[in-house]
Amino acid sequence: MKIASWNINGIKARIEGLKTWLDQTQPDIACLQEIKSIDENFPADEIEALGYNVAVHGQKSFNGVAILSKHKFDDVIPGLPGDKSDEQARYLEAVVSTKTGAVRVASIYLPNGNPVDSDKYPYKLGWMARLKAHFADVLKYEESFVAAGDYNVIPTEGDVHDPEAWEGDALYRPETHAAFRSIVNLGLTDAFRAVNPRDHCYTFWDYQRGAWQKDNGIRIDHLLLSPQAADRLQTCQIDRFTRGWEKPSDHVPIWIELEV
DNA sequence: ATGACCTGTTTAACAGGA
């Protein structure tokens, strides 16, 4: 069972690339972030025509997440619990049933947090605390759970081309690292790290300053796995090739294969 | 040249991104 995550940076700008990628790589489930669209404008018909069920948690102009699944949804839960005043669409969870049981999947767009001296950084840390609390609840189900998305966290110095350039950035600050570690230390597995010890494998390259051409990237898109999902992990790979396409997203897909 | 961004929206400059 193939489960992917991709920050597409705008569904309207990326629909053709998304359809090409779905057709070529055939994920069973694809978690999308930054769709930048309200639910009504999401091109569900075009994606359903490729054999997917579509769940959307959108927002006008910014943020927005979606889950595409070849399996039908048993449950769809929009929004991260813990703060009813939070209107940013950054979390969508769904349960699908397969021959080997239920799989719970989350599509996550964790706040960027820059600039760190604004209210955006405390919002990021607060959001991470809510995410941790929710993961702790979900882990009690003891089911295969895949928390996939753009975490806006560079986990270690091996996940960035130029660590010094990121000192003090919201993606790389000690407080960010501590919050991310405490989430992983609930008992989750960073799928890419579990199967690939190599450093300098990236999922994002800035549009500016020739970052892609110089391989000046960062690894910020992650799939965190419950123990039950980690037991089934067979591979985790990054679809770098989409970054070289016409009109690319600045992120590329990352995906896992779970043993059926 | 040692470098040059992209997306969405109140369609013209901005806000937001990472």
Side-chain angles (χ1 to χ4, degrees), chain A residues 34-46:
Chain A
E34 273 204 280
I35 62 171
K36 296 184 175 179
S37 165
I38 58 173
D39 295 7
E40 293 74 18
N41 291 346
F42 192 83
D45 292 351
E46 293 182 63

Side-chain angles (χ1 to χ4, degrees), chain A residues 14-24 46-47 50:
Chain A
R14 217 68 62 211
I15 181 62
E16 292 309 318
L18 174 64
K19 287 195 294 184
T20 300
W21 173 74
L22 289 171
D23 189 51
Q24 286 184 1
E46 293 182 63
I47 292 165
L50 298 176

Side-chain angles (χ1 to χ4, degrees), chain A residues 26-197:
Chain A
Q26 294 291 321
D28 295 288
I29 298 174
C31 299
L32 307 179
Q33 301 87 35
E34 273 204 280
I35 62 171
K36 296 184 175 179
S37 165
I38 58 173
D39 295 7
E40 293 74 18
N41 291 346
F42 192 83
D45 292 351
E46 293 182 63
I47 292 165
E48 286 165 359
L50 298 176
Y52 289 92
N53 300 286
V54 176
V56 183
H57 180 43
Q59 177 183 339
K60 187 179 174 67
S61 305
F62 305 117
N63 309 318
V65 286
I67 300 176
L68 320 180
S69 172
K70 290 186 177 180
H71 303 273
K72 79 173 176 65
F73 294 115
D74 287 345
D75 201 3
V76 173
I77 307 132
L80 181 65
D83 182 359
K84 285 178 180 160
S85 71
D86 185 359
E87 295 179 347
Q88 300 191 30
R90 297 177 173 274
Y91 188 91
L92 179 63
E93 187 177 309
V95 180
V96 303
S97 53
T98 72
K99 291 174 194 166
T100 50
V103 175
R104 185 177 299 264
V105 179
S107 183
I108 293 161
Y109 179 44
L110 203 146
N112 174 302
N114 283 308
V116 294
D117 60 357
S118 72
D119 57 4
K120 293 185 178 183
Y121 193 56
Y123 174 70
K124 176 178 192 157
L125 294 179
W127 206 93
M128 292 179 84
R130 287 163 56 201
L131 189 68
K132 180 182 178 182
H134 182 59
F135 282 177
D137 285 341
V138 169
L139 285 167
K140 292 174 189 165
Y141 299 143
E142 299 189 352
E143 59 191 10
S144 289
F145 174 54
V146 178
D150 174 2
Y151 280 76
N152 271 314
V153 174
I154 304 166
T156 73
E157 64 180 4
D159 298 309
V160 52
H161 173 266
D162 182 6
E164 289 177 7
W166 290 87
E167 288 293 332
D169 190 279
L171 280 65
Y172 198 65
R173 286 179 68 85
E175 299 94 322
T176 306
H177 285 149
F180 185 71
R181 277 197 309 271
S182 77
I183 289 170
V184 172
N185 286 338
L186 291 169
L188 295 164
T189 296
D190 176 345
F192 188 78
R193 267 294 159 259
V195 300
N196 192 336

